[in-house]
Amino acid sequence: MSKKFISQPTRTGSFDLQNFLAAKTAAVNEALDRLLPSEKSKPATIHRAMRYSLFAGGKRIRPALCLAAAEACGGKESAALPLACAVECIHTYSLIHDDLPAMDDDDYRRGKLTNHKVFGEGIAVLAGDALLTVAFEIAAKCKGWPRYGHQKLILELASASGSLQLIAGQVADLEGEGKKISANELQYIHERKTSALLCCSVRLGGMSANCTAAQLKALTDFGYHVGLAFQVIDDILDVTQTSDKLGKTAGKDTKAQKATYPAIVGLEKSRKIAERLTARAFEALKPLGRCAAPLRGLAEYLLKRDR
Ligand code: GRG
């Protein structure tokens, strides 16, 4: 994992987040490599394009949250890994499509040229489609648990990525460009565009540990608030960091006249909002006890991150 990932070691009690993230990123990369068709599989172009974006150096936050949630419920990493990979595939698809000229029209992502800049728009659309599809294939092939059979797992992925959540958020984002929108409408966008998939990641981690209904409720509450905090911080970073640091074009939100927390309430209040949301996420973890240390560490890191 790149040293850039965390500029300062984050510690929650005796928990070492830097080591946790390095280990989980390595496990996820190895599993993704195993679960996806090789670059040589015919047609090679599409598999090269899928792998190009998947292995471009993303922070692997969603898989890390999934694995940490499994640990919080006493589960095994090996059981949660396929679901962690499925979520990362959906996330990467959404970034490839988000960068297309018809959407945000971006040239850089994860510090590299965007998928369509390298492979052309047609292949980039298909690479996104194929990553979305393979996520469901991976979930369908995983083992399933007594409380959470395949139907529940697949429904979880479908509802988080469908037209009422991830895509709804993107539609509202597109339609809100250049318009004055309220803080409530902005929250609607953040809940769907960002929080839904982060929440799905932790819920799937819990499911892979065959968690109880009470544990799933705690994870859902945590994921919702961490997801909202994540997007507020993302908006703050867009105006405070350089493109080089972010690995994508900074200042895009302002340029596209997008509604963001910094634009609506200013930077200082936005930071306070992110802190308040993170505190709510910590609160949600109480019923999970000490095993939730990795989730706590991740929430703290997400609040303090600089990229
Ligand atoms: C269906 C045509 C079509 C498009 C779907 C749903 C969608 C497009 C786009 C939403 C993608 C988006 C930009 C969501 C916002 C969430 C966000 C801040 C993503 C960046 O996440 P990081 O920082 O990225 O975890 P890395 O690269 O580190 O994985």
Side-chain angles (χ1 to χ4, degrees):
M1 191 183 62
S2 124
K3 283 250 170 59
K4 269 200 313 191
F5 188 16
I6 308 166
S7 44
Q8 285 174 345
T10 303
R11 283 177 181 276
T12 306
S14 61
F15 174 71
D16 185 338
L17 181 74
Q18 196 157 7
N19 273 342
F20 177 87
L21 278 168
K24 299 307 171 196
T25 299
V28 167
N29 288 346
E30 188 275 323
L32 281 169
D33 188 39
R34 191 167 25 85
L35 291 165
L36 259 83
S38 78
E39 281 206 355
K40 289 188 184 135
S41 304
K42 220 171 155 180
T45 323
I46 189 70
H47 299 120
R48 275 204 293 120
M50 289 161 79
R51 282 170 170 269
Y52 173 80
S53 292
L54 203 51
F55 295 106
K59 295 186 289 298
R60 304 295 194 223
I61 295 304
R62 291 148 194 84
L65 283 167
C66 180
L67 299 176
E71 195 171 322
C73 300
K76 286 203 187 96
E77 178 183 290
S78 56
L81 258 180
L83 296 173
C85 290
V87 174
E88 186 66 14
C89 288
I90 293 180
H91 169 58
T92 306
Y93 125 76
S94 80
L95 299 181
I96 295 174
H97 281 195
D98 189 53
D99 291 334
L100 286 167
M103 298 265 178
D104 261 11
D105 192 10
D106 224 316
D107 292 354
Y108 290 95
R109 171 73 68 178
R110 293 176 163 174
K112 293 172 84 171
L113 282 172
T114 43
N115 201 289
H116 65 273
K117 283 278 159 192
V118 177
F119 296 95
E121 282 180 47
I123 292 293
V125 169
L126 293 170
D129 293 342
L131 283 167
L132 175 63
T133 312
V134 83
F136 288 92
E137 188 180 334
I138 293 169
K141 280 182 184 161
C142 80
K143 135 174 171 325
W145 294 271
R147 291 195 184 101
Y148 308 99
H150 288 104
Q151 191 197 0
K152 283 196 178 140
L153 303 175
I154 285 168
L155 184 59
E156 189 68 30
L157 285 172
S159 20
S161 55
S163 62
L164 295 174
Q165 294 294 333
L166 182 64
I167 291 177
Q170 183 74 354
V171 170
D173 203 25
L174 278 176
E175 290 180 347
E177 274 179 28
K179 290 191 192 135
K180 211 170 165 2
I181 69 164
S182 68
N184 275 353
E185 286 165 314
L186 185 59
Q187 183 169 330
Y188 169 95
I189 296 176
H190 286 193
E191 280 171 353
R192 284 154 186 81
K193 189 178 85 164
T194 311
S195 182
L197 200 56
L198 274 101
C199 191
C200 166
S201 309
V202 288
R203 280 172 56 88
L204 284 171
M207 290 180 188
S208 76
N210 199 36
C211 68
T212 63
Q215 288 173 320
L216 190 61
K217 187 171 174 296
L219 290 175
T220 307
D221 199 11
F222 170 81
Y224 172 79
H225 289 101
V226 150
L228 288 182
F230 183 88
Q231 186 59 55
V232 178
I233 296 293
D234 201 75
D235 288 354
I236 293 174
L237 295 177
D238 185 71
V239 286
T240 56
Q241 294 291 347
T242 61
S243 302
D244 201 33
K245 184 89 186 170
L246 297 178
K248 60 182 179 183
T249 317
K252 279 220 80 168
D253 295 342
T254 316
K255 209 167 161 207
Q257 291 184 284
K258 272 202 183 167
T260 62
Y261 275 100
I264 294 183
V265 300
L267 268 176
E268 207 176 312
K269 202 149 175 228
S270 300
R271 285 202 185 95
K272 289 257 159 357
I273 292 172
E275 280 164 20
R276 222 178 303 134
L277 289 164
T278 306
R280 292 283 301 273
F282 282 147
E283 192 67 24
L285 291 179
K286 281 196 174 147
L288 298 173
R290 287 168 62 172
C291 293
L295 284 178
R296 243 174 252 121
L298 279 167
E300 190 189 337
Y301 158 66
L302 291 178
L303 179 68
K304 293 180 181 165
R305 73 196 167 103
D306 57 8
R307 75 173 193 108

